[in-house]
């Protein structure tokens, strides 16, 4: 007897788990299949920044979506903690985006016009908040931005979805989609064949490879990022410090995360001496006291980036019953709550925000390769 689901989600990273949780809250029967284990790739490699005001520039639509998603975290933290007992360490400690040049100042001024959640600080004001930070010419202060423990956040979403009735099959790679006359009806794996009203691809940087099984290709590409962490005798910053090319995120237990390099168009997950050396030099220049820290570890994560810069959330044009949620790049943790809600809305036939309009993804990014 074939088991039928409302939705099958391919990928148990933070995006897939968030979608599963939101669908489970709406009493949908959900199956998550994962080729490895929960959050094994970028979702646990992430620093967990909720940095709305870092790299969005003048993209007002994406900025507003990020603000909305960030503001969902407090309630979500309470929800999943009640369901699972997992505290994903939400910290609304704020973020300072430092300026070291006039171009940095101009970029900050443009952002000030788009968001009410930021203010400009002079060098003296930055120094009063974070005296350990090196000389600068001011900074953009976002007091509501913060961070979470990325691995615990992903696990909390997964466990919550399961407690609400979702099923998870780890170490279950996709073999093929079940396609009949332009309709996706399910998937095949080594563990069995599963049917659903909707199959959602949420495989992060590997989503393009997954979609090839259905005859589609994308213009998305992977971007490797290297990070490291140190242990400190005492906290030397209280807020996330962000600059072009380097960010420093204080964590519980006097731990400090530093990231991240960028290496586009590679799935190589090795950590290079050169990359960490560049990052280390930048970090110490920003925060000289970091040199006194005790080295903990270094790691990499491969993030999915779209050519247009926007995540792709919605149904794949040309194949009924097939959807995608990927391309979040360095904002996967931040946008996970909103993505889960949007994808659940899509499956209920609701229109979603123009920023993630699936038509844009399909017409510009998706190319049909042959027939079923």
């Amino acid at each position: 007897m074939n088991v039928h689901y409302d939705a099958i989600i391919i990928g148990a990273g933070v995006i897939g788990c968030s979608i599963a949780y939101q669908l489970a809250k709406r009493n949908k029967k959900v199956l998550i299949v994962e080729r490895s284990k929960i959050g094994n790739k970028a979702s646990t490699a992430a620093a967990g920044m909720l940095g709305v005001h870092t790299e969005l520039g003048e993209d007002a639509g994406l900025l507003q979506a990020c603000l909305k998603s960030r503001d969902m975290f407090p309630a979500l933290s309470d929800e999943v903690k009640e369901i699972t007992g997992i505290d994903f360490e939400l910290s609304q400690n704020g973020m300072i985006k430092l300026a070291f040049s006039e171009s940095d100042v101009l970029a900050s001024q443009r952002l000030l016009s788009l968001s009410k959640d930021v203010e400009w600080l002079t060098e003296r004001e930055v120094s009063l908040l974070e005296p350990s930070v090196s000389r600068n010419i001011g900074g953009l202060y976002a007091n509501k931005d913060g961070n979470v423990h990325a691995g615990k956040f992903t696990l909390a979403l997964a466990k919550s979805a399961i407690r609400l009735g979702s099923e998870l099959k780890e170490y279950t790679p996709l073999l093929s989609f079940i396609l009949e006359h332009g309709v996706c009806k399910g998937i095949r794996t080594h563990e069995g064949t599963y049917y659903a009203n909707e199959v959602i691809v949420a495989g992060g940087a590997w989503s393009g490879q997954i979609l090839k099984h259905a005859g589609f290709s994308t213009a998305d590409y992977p971007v490797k990022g290297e990070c490291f962490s140190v242990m400190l005798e005492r906290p030397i910053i209280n807020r996330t410090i962000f600059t072009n090319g380097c960010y420093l995120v204080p964590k519980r237990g006097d731990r400090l995360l530093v990231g991240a390099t960028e290496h586009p168009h590679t799935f190589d997950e090795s950590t290079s001496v050169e990359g960490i050396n560049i990052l280390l030099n930048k970090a110490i220049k920003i925060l000289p006291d970091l040199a006194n820290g005790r080295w903990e570890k270094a790691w990499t994560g491969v993030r999915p980036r779209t050519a247009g810069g926007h995540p792709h959330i919605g149904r794949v044009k040309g194949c009924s019953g097939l959807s995608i949620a990927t391309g979040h790049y360095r904002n996967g943790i931040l946008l996970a709550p909103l993505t889960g809600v949007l994808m659940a809305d899509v499956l209920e036939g609701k229109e979603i925000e123009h920023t993630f309009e699936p038509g844009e993804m399909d017409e510009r990014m998706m190319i049909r390769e042959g027939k079923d």
Side-chain angles (χ1 to χ4, degrees), residues 98-100 123 126-127 131-138 285-286 288:
L98 295 177
F100 292 101
E123 179 185 358
V126 170
S127 181
S132 296
V133 170
S134 62
R135 292 288 300 273
N136 54 79
I137 57 175
K285 186 176 181 180
I286 297 165

Side-chain angles (χ1 to χ4, degrees), residues 78-355:
D78 292 339
E79 283 179 26
V80 299
K81 189 173 183 180
E82 183 176 351
I83 295 170
T84 67
I86 298 173
D87 175 8
F88 59 69
E89 300 180 12
L90 172 64
S91 174
Q92 295 174 293
N93 60 330
M95 182 204 71
I96 301 176
K97 185 176 182 179
L98 295 177
F100 292 101
S101 67
E102 289 302 321
S103 62
D104 290 342
V105 174
L106 289 173
S108 295
Q109 288 175 344
R110 288 193 292 268
L111 196 53
L112 281 166
S113 68
L114 296 174
S115 174
K116 296 179 180 179
D117 279 6
V118 288
E119 61 179 306
W120 176 257
L121 301 180
T122 64
E123 179 185 358
R124 182 175 180 276
E125 289 171 329
V126 170
S127 181
L128 288 173
L129 288 177
E130 298 292 351
S132 296
V133 170
S134 62
R135 292 288 300 273
N136 54 79
I137 57 175
L140 201 67
Y141 180 37
N143 69 323
K144 293 182 180 179
D145 287 4
N147 70 89
V148 300
H149 188 295
K152 290 182 180 180
F153 178 48
T154 305
L155 183 62
L157 290 171
K159 295 283 188 182
S160 295
I162 292 167
R163 293 281 173 86
L164 296 181
S166 297
E167 297 177 39
L168 169 66
K169 294 185 181 295
E170 295 179 299
Y171 302 101
T172 306
L174 173 76
L175 292 180
S176 64
F177 291 92
I178 301 170
L179 302 170
E180 297 180 8
H181 308 294
V183 179
C184 182
K185 295 192 173 183
I187 62 170
R188 296 184 182 89
T189 74
H190 286 299
E191 298 294 320
T193 299
Y194 307 100
Y195 294 87
N197 296 334
E198 194 84 21
V199 176
I200 304 166
V201 176
W206 288 265
S207 293
Q209 294 181 359
I210 295 169
L211 283 167
K212 286 182 179 179
H213 290 283
F216 290 87
S217 66
T218 73
D220 304 353
Y221 58 93
V223 181
K224 180 175 83 168
E226 296 161 303
C227 304
F228 69 86
S229 60
V230 298
M231 302 301 297
L232 304 165
E233 292 294 327
R234 58 175 181 81
I236 54 177
I237 53 172
N238 296 308
R239 299 159 187 82
T240 296
I241 304 297
F242 187 93
T243 69
N244 291 326
C246 183
Y247 53 76
L248 303 100
V249 187
K251 296 290 186 176
R252 292 184 186 179
D254 295 336
R255 187 169 181 247
L256 189 68
L257 269 61
V258 180
T261 61
E262 290 197 14
H263 304 278
H265 304 289
T266 179
F267 286 100
D268 175 21
E269 296 179 82
S270 63
T271 306
S272 69
V273 173
E274 180 185 22
I276 295 301
N277 183 55
I278 291 171
L279 200 57
L280 186 60
N281 287 331
K282 287 181 179 179
I284 291 176
K285 186 176 181 180
I286 297 165
L287 196 62
D289 289 347
L290 181 67
N292 299 319
R294 176 170 54 84
W295 180 266
E296 187 185 30
K297 61 180 179 178
W299 65 93
T300 63
V302 180
R303 290 80 52 94
R305 185 174 175 85
T306 65
H310 285 189
H312 293 162
I313 303 170
R315 289 196 161 102
V316 174
K317 189 175 182 179
C319 188
S320 178
L322 181 63
S323 293
I324 187 170
T326 189
H328 295 74
Y329 188 39
R330 289 166 41 135
N331 295 305
I333 300 297
L334 171 62
L335 284 169
L338 181 62
T339 299
V341 171
L342 292 178
M343 196 71 249
D345 285 347
V346 167
L347 267 60
E348 291 186 343
K350 300 176 184 177
E351 292 187 7
I352 65 170
E353 300 177 28
H354 176 72
T355 302

Side-chain angles (χ1 to χ4, degrees), residues 50-81:
L50 308 182
V52 176
H53 304 90
T54 54
E55 304 164 300
L56 302 181
E58 299 179 59
D59 193 331
L62 188 54
L63 175 66
Q64 292 305 312
C66 287
L67 285 167
K68 184 175 181 179
S69 195
R70 181 203 64 187
D71 292 343
M72 295 169 68
F73 272 87
L76 186 57
S77 175
D78 292 339
E79 283 179 26
V80 299
K81 189 173 183 180

